[in-house]
Amino acid sequence: MTSALSLLTAAESGHPPVVNELPFPPVIFGVIAMVIFLALLGLVYAFRNTLALDPHGVAEGHSSPDTARGSSAH
């Protein structure tokens, strides 16, 4: 009942009611997204060129000894 009364009062005053306020300024959402993106990019960069270190030759098309026997994964 109180929220309906506050909406009615806000409508009569000519100002739209504030429904949900953001916890911080909108620019901070972009900053957080950029930081997460850069962290994920750093994670990908940390594993760069690891296929060149492949000891079993999987990259050249040889079957991997690490796969389960009897599976026909090609």
Side-chain angles (χ1 to χ4, degrees), residues 52-73:
L53 304 176
D54 184 19
H56 302 297
V58 174
E60 286 81 30
H62 302 113
S63 62
S64 176
D66 298 328
T67 58
R69 293 179 187 255
S71 65
S72 60

Side-chain angles (χ1 to χ4, degrees), residues 22-43:
L22 296 174
F24 31 82
V27 174
I28 302 300
F29 285 102
V31 171
I32 291 172
M34 187 60 71
V35 167
I36 291 172
F37 173 73
L38 289 175
L40 291 173
L41 185 65
L43 181 68

